[in-house]
Amino acid sequence: MFGECGVFGGGERYAFELARHMADEVETVLLTFGPRERRERIGNLTVRVIGNPWYVRGHPGNPLALSMISQLPGADVVHCYQQHVLATSIAAIVRRALGQRVFVTDLGGGAWDISAYISTDKWFDGHLHLSEYSRRTFGHEGNVSAHVIFGGVDGRKFTPTVAPVLDRAVVYAGRILPHKGINDLITAMAPEMELKIIGRAGDSRFLSDLQQLAAGKRVTFRHDCDDVELIEAYRAALCVVLPSVYRTIYGEETSVPELLGQTLLEGMACGRPAICTRVASMPEIVEDGVCGFIVPPNDPVALADRIGWLREHPAEAAAMGAAARQRALEKFAWPLVVRRCLRLYADANAKLRGRPAPNR
């Protein structure tokens, strides 16, 4: 789903941003779903929204409209986001039947799909993963069609401030869900320090429990920040923290909590040190002791120690922030992700035609 009524999170942001930056290199159409039919232009990107889809088994993250099929044959490449939904499986069937290339990036989760009963892995010419962790998790380490393209950040949009940083609050940005471990971050906060929690509430019980846990502390919740306000918060922060866990406050297990960690990249591009837990893909983003810190999950004491260290060592924290931006731009900038995708698309199309791929 696309727009205000859509399912919002890092995955949806990833698909949109990659398409937007892809459009700077080649003609790109983002085909998606929404409450009403429309077509719009965002920079060089064409967004085509199929209106009033059917939600498979009522799941908001599994929209389907058969009218999408007519949009598939004319494309040089179809790149689907989210493997385990019915729209992706149908797109793969159509493209394979026509002898055309189709790629997929799994953003985690999913809903009812054919892949619940049979493996659809071989239906795709390439599995383009967000991280090495993602490739391992989905059992694609030995799969020659599986590649890591990483995630991206817009280094022109997410930039450091030129003015002195005065706020020094700790910032969490992301959906408010139990597997994000925000309860550990609130527990870690010293009474005199400020914590800004920015994101939509995806679990009302968890939000209520966090609000109770935050009583008497300098914790604010923002559910309606736009990108301008988010960037301002990053720029003024002491650090950005993503404390995700495998085991939640309610004792529930989350086997795949983070396939990337988009908000870490955004904060790092704004020149702020990052703190994350040693969970899933996040250690691939944060270089421990260089651009931030990696701590054990479910450990508020370790979080408090690293946050306190950054507060007490401003010069070192500033150097870490500079290193964080450099790492974000050198490894995770969107143009790099686009080039990785284009190279893989070209390789696949060259194999289809039986000739070497052109150099890019």
Side-chain angles (χ1 to χ4, degrees):
M1 291 290 288
F2 181 79
E4 292 182 0
C5 299
V7 179
F8 182 81
E12 293 75 28
R13 189 180 185 96
Y14 183 96
F16 170 72
E17 290 294 334
L18 179 51
R20 186 168 69 88
H21 287 82
M22 184 76 70
D24 292 337
E25 297 290 333
V26 295
E27 183 180 355
T28 304
V29 176
L30 177 61
L31 183 65
T32 184
F33 303 91
R36 60 188 179 278
E37 191 91 16
R38 75 181 191 277
R39 181 183 177 123
E40 62 181 286
R41 191 84 171 172
I42 302 175
N44 295 320
L45 174 67
T46 298
V47 179
R48 188 173 299 160
V49 181
I50 298 175
N52 195 28
W54 169 52
Y55 298 97
V56 181
R57 296 193 174 183
H59 196 292
N62 200 5
L64 179 67
L66 295 182
S67 59
M68 74 176 197
I69 293 175
S70 64
Q71 309 295 322
L72 300 174
D76 293 324
V77 170
V78 169
H79 187 160
C80 301
Y81 295 90
Q82 189 51 279
Q83 180 175 347
H84 303 290
V85 294
L86 194 54
T88 293
S89 290
I90 290 175
I93 291 170
V94 171
R95 293 287 292 185
R96 299 293 284 188
L98 294 172
Q100 297 173 330
R101 295 310 196 190
V102 58
F103 295 79
V104 67
T105 294
D106 203 319
L107 301 174
W112 186 89
D113 178 45
I114 300 166
S115 59
Y117 308 98
I118 59 172
S119 174
T120 59
D121 280 3
K122 292 183 179 179
W123 295 8
F124 301 94
D125 296 284
H127 293 264
L128 310 187
H129 288 281
L130 307 185
S131 59
E132 293 288 353
Y133 168 80
S134 173
R135 180 160 60 179
R136 291 195 306 271
T137 295
F138 293 113
H140 292 160
E141 280 186 288
N143 187 334
V144 295
S145 68
H147 309 272
V148 177
I149 57 173
F150 288 114
V153 65
D154 188 340
R156 298 167 300 180
K157 180 177 179 180
F158 292 89
T159 59
T161 180
V162 295
V165 175
L166 301 176
D167 193 336
R168 313 303 286 173
V170 173
V171 169
Y172 164 86
R175 287 178 292 178
I176 299 176
L177 293 168
H179 75 269
K180 296 293 187 177
I182 308 167
N183 51 290
D184 293 326
L185 180 55
I186 293 175
T187 301
M189 294 303 298
E192 71 277 7
M193 293 195 67
E194 182 181 3
L195 169 62
K196 294 182 179 181
I197 297 173
I198 301 172
R200 299 187 184 185
D203 186 309
S204 58
R205 175 184 65 161
F206 186 52
L207 176 61
S208 177
D209 288 342
L210 292 181
Q211 290 169 336
Q212 292 182 42
L213 188 62
K217 292 191 173 186
R218 297 181 63 199
V219 179
T220 57
F221 294 84
R222 287 290 307 275
H223 309 303
D224 57 351
C225 281
D226 59 20
D227 276 2
V228 172
E229 293 170 307
L230 179 60
I231 291 169
E232 288 177 354
Y234 284 144
R235 288 172 173 172
L238 171 68
C239 60
V240 58
V241 182
L242 188 51
S244 299
V245 295
Y246 292 116
R247 187 174 182 81
T248 75
I249 188 175
Y250 306 116
E252 300 161 344
E253 297 290 337
T254 302
S255 59
V256 186
E258 300 289 347
L259 288 177
L260 181 63
Q262 187 72 40
T263 57
L264 290 173
L265 291 175
E266 293 172 355
M268 288 165 62
C270 289
R272 310 320 303 155
I275 299 177
C276 70
T277 45
R278 193 171 297 282
V279 164
S281 61
M282 294 187 293
E284 296 177 47
I285 295 177
V286 179
E287 192 173 1
D288 190 31
V290 177
C291 60
F293 295 112
I294 302 173
V295 301
N298 306 104
D299 193 341
V301 174
L303 276 172
D305 178 72
R306 297 293 83 189
I307 292 169
W309 189 93
L310 290 173
R311 186 188 184 198
E312 293 164 8
H313 298 81
E316 291 87 345
M320 280 188 167
R325 176 167 172 81
Q326 182 178 357
R327 180 169 173 80
L329 297 187
E330 288 183 352
K331 188 169 183 177
F332 300 102
W334 280 120
L336 298 176
V337 183
V338 168
R339 286 198 286 273
R340 291 171 193 138
C341 288
L342 291 176
R343 175 76 258 174
L344 293 167
Y345 299 161
D347 286 348
N349 280 325
K351 289 176 183 177
L352 181 65
R353 299 181 178 94
R355 58 175 181 265
N359 292 322
R360 289 190 64 88

